[in-house]
Amino acid sequence: MSHFSWVDGSIVGIYLLVTMVAGIMVRKYVVRVDHFLLAGREMNLYLGIASLAATEFGVVTCMYTAQNGYDKGFAGATPGIIAALAMLLVGLTGFCVKPLRDSGVMTIPELFEKRYGPRIRWLSGVVIVLGGLLNMGVFLRTGGEFLVSACGMDKGHLEITMTALLAAVAIYTILGGMLSVLVADFLQFIVMSAGLMAVTVLILKNVGWSAMTAAVEKHYGAGGFNPFVHPKMGWDYIVFNVLGNTAAVLTWQTTIQRLLAAKDTATGQRVYSRTSFFFVCRFLIPGIWGIAALATLTPEQVGGNTLHAMPLFLSQFVPMGLMGLLIAAMLAADMSTDSSYMLTWGSVIYNDILAPFRKGKWSEKRGILWNRMIVALIGVFLLVYGLWYEIKGDLWSYLLETGTIYLASMSTLLIACCYWKRANSWGAAGAIICGAFIPLTRLTLEQFPYTADFAARVGPEKGGITTFACAAAAMVIGSLLKPQNTANNGGVQTDG
């Protein structure tokens, strides 16, 4: 039985009101397109850290990391450790992100036009949006499932909950763009941190570290602590996560948006390095919640979908009052993630996909109007897709695989753009095609009864590793087969 009461509802209501008002109030400062998309490139270090941390921890994050904890034990935090190391190294060295920020572009495809030409810019934009929207398509349903389970609501209210979540996020994002997102992110970071810490302390006190460790040992043995020997992980899982997380650090649009919104390159790099440890926390803290569910719930209580284990546990464990703070924290996380994702994918549609169709320079007013309409249409897509698409397997693997649709090719293009003088449009086109074809094919085969077994045997890990290898090979082979003159192509300089 859920402990969600009118007291908790009041806490959540007050939080939502404050966030909405704060997000809407800054709309008057949005007078240019770069205000809407990049907050005028004036984001400072601390706002950048709070915004990136809040964006990269949504309800969907909490759900898949908790599922990792329930299904894999402490070894489930492995992707977070890998992501943290990648963020730290890229932030300290400036690998790719320094030349990217120095170039002054608004999106990664805009940078690619300087090296590979306008066709590759457009094609890159299409692939980024395709992979990003398929990735984000499950966010609303996952957020709705958490709220329904944690609050003890009737499952028939899921669609209404999803629609209400979308409406709340869309209003301030459409009105204020990145300025609203940054302000709301800062508030959401505070509430989210308070809620996460309070619930985690309560779990450690009442469930206990020894009980959770014993549960992991009982169910998974050494595999619950060592990802290399866990039957659901192993070397292919580790390699795929190294490739995917490193590529995400370099090219994931929501992360890159913070880099490009930073007031200078050095600030952008520091946002990376100083946010890096948070990526461990975002896997470890909800992972502990999932392990607590493993230690306290029976398999019969959880049912067939382990994604619901954590919210079911919290609904029974968290007391009145703290439940309100928890739900507010999860809403904070969800709103921050959804708003930023809607805005960043919208920026690629406006800046790169629609670029060839804009005759002449648009006025700032018209550009802002189009961006707002694009964000609204993305919201409609998310609602429709979230209602009908059914995930096969665990949520994290789905997210990493759909991300690979563009992570494999875009990371290849970016590294080659910055550091390989012989890279050209032929290689870039080959990398994009190969990078999108393999994961899209496997995801499609997974949905049909006659091909589902084959898709399952391939798995997202082997398919993902193959995708990265093929994208890199296509870039090299294509560029060498059709050499082009790169002396005057506007290539990126890597010496700053």
Side-chain angles (χ1 to χ4, degrees), residues 188-212:
Q188 289 157 1
F189 178 74
I190 295 171
V191 175
M192 179 185 74
S193 300
L196 291 176
M197 290 298 102
V199 172
T200 303
V201 169
L202 190 67
I203 288 174
L204 292 176
K205 179 182 177 181
N206 293 340
V207 177
W209 188 261
S210 59
M212 290 188 289

Side-chain angles (χ1 to χ4, degrees), residues 338-390:
D338 290 352
S339 61
S340 184
Y341 274 54
M342 291 166 69
L343 183 66
T344 50
W345 306 136
S347 71
V348 175
I349 294 174
Y350 173 80
N351 198 55
D352 303 304
I353 296 178
L354 294 182
F357 306 103
R358 295 202 298 265
K359 303 301 181 182
K361 184 176 176 60
W362 282 5
S363 67
E364 298 290 349
K365 185 176 181 180
R366 187 180 184 186
I368 291 172
L369 176 62
W370 268 88
N371 274 284
R372 285 171 170 161
M373 289 192 297
I374 291 168
V375 170
L377 290 174
I378 289 175
V380 174
F381 166 81
L382 295 178
L383 184 62
V384 174
Y385 186 86
L387 287 173
W388 71 266
Y389 186 83
E390 181 182 356

Side-chain angles (χ1 to χ4, degrees), residues 472-496:
M475 168 59 79
V476 174
I477 294 171
S479 297
L480 295 179
L481 284 177
K482 187 73 173 181
Q484 297 175 2
N485 179 21
T486 59
N488 297 304
N489 66 354
V492 179
Q493 300 297 316
T494 62
D495 59 2

Side-chain angles (χ1 to χ4, degrees), residues 85-384:
L85 291 174
M87 285 286 290
L88 180 62
L89 290 174
V90 169
L92 292 176
T93 63
F95 179 68
C96 286
V97 298
K98 185 180 188 303
L100 174 60
R101 178 62 183 85
D102 286 344
S103 68
V105 297
M106 295 181 69
T107 58
I108 290 179
E110 186 178 341
L111 175 74
F112 292 161
E113 183 176 18
K114 297 182 178 184
R115 183 62 180 270
Y116 306 120
R119 292 180 181 177
I120 295 300
R121 174 183 179 178
W122 186 85
L123 187 58
S124 297
V126 170
V127 172
I128 285 176
V129 171
L130 176 64
L133 291 184
L134 288 177
N135 186 274
M136 190 188 175
V138 298
F139 283 18
L140 272 178
R141 171 170 285 275
T142 306
E145 288 176 345
F146 173 86
L147 292 175
V148 167
S149 296
C151 297
M153 292 166 32
D154 189 290
K155 294 190 186 310
H157 294 155
L158 176 61
E159 289 77 11
I160 298 174
T161 306
M162 291 170 60
T163 306
L165 273 174
L166 176 64
V169 171
I171 289 172
Y172 71 78
T173 307
I174 290 171
L175 291 176
M178 180 59 85
L179 286 172
S180 290
V181 169
L182 290 176
V183 171
D185 279 356
F186 190 77
L187 294 173
Q188 289 157 1
F189 178 74
I190 295 171
V191 175
M192 179 185 74
S193 300
L196 291 176
M197 290 298 102
V199 172
T200 303
V201 169
L202 190 67
I203 288 174
L204 292 176
K205 179 182 177 181
N206 293 340
V207 177
W209 188 261
S210 59
M212 290 188 289
T213 304
V216 172
E217 175 70 29
K218 175 184 175 182
H219 287 85
Y220 306 118
F225 306 90
N226 184 350
F228 294 100
V229 299
H230 195 289
K232 293 183 179 179
M233 302 175 82
W235 279 102
D236 54 349
Y237 182 93
I238 302 297
V239 172
F240 182 38
N241 272 272
V242 169
L243 293 171
N245 279 292
T246 304
V249 168
L250 296 177
T251 62
W252 193 244
Q253 189 60 28
T254 52
T255 306
I256 293 301
Q257 200 87 343
R258 269 64 185 176
L259 171 76
L260 300 178
K263 62 181 181 180
D264 53 45
T265 302
T267 299
Q269 287 185 226
R270 286 196 293 270
V271 168
Y272 269 58
S273 58
R274 297 188 186 183
T275 314
S276 59
F277 181 71
F278 172 80
F279 283 77
V280 177
C281 297
R282 80 167 186 159
F283 263 84
L284 186 58
I285 290 177
I288 289 173
W289 298 5
I291 293 170
L294 181 69
T296 56
L297 300 178
T298 64
E300 291 74 23
Q301 288 176 295
V302 174
N305 190 349
T306 58
L307 190 66
H308 298 151
M310 179 270 293
L312 177 63
F313 161 73
L314 294 179
S315 71
Q316 302 173 10
F317 177 77
V318 179
M320 182 179 67
L322 184 55
M323 178 61 78
L325 179 61
L326 170 66
I327 297 300
M330 291 298 100
L331 281 174
D334 201 55
M335 292 171 69
S336 175
T337 300
D338 290 352
S339 61
S340 184
Y341 274 54
M342 291 166 69
L343 183 66
T344 50
W345 306 136
S347 71
V348 175
I349 294 174
Y350 173 80
N351 198 55
D352 303 304
I353 296 178
L354 294 182
F357 306 103
R358 295 202 298 265
K359 303 301 181 182
K361 184 176 176 60
W362 282 5
S363 67
E364 298 290 349
K365 185 176 181 180
R366 187 180 184 186
I368 291 172
L369 176 62
W370 268 88
N371 274 284
R372 285 171 170 161
M373 289 192 297
I374 291 168
V375 170
L377 290 174
I378 289 175
V380 174
F381 166 81
L382 295 178
L383 184 62
V384 174

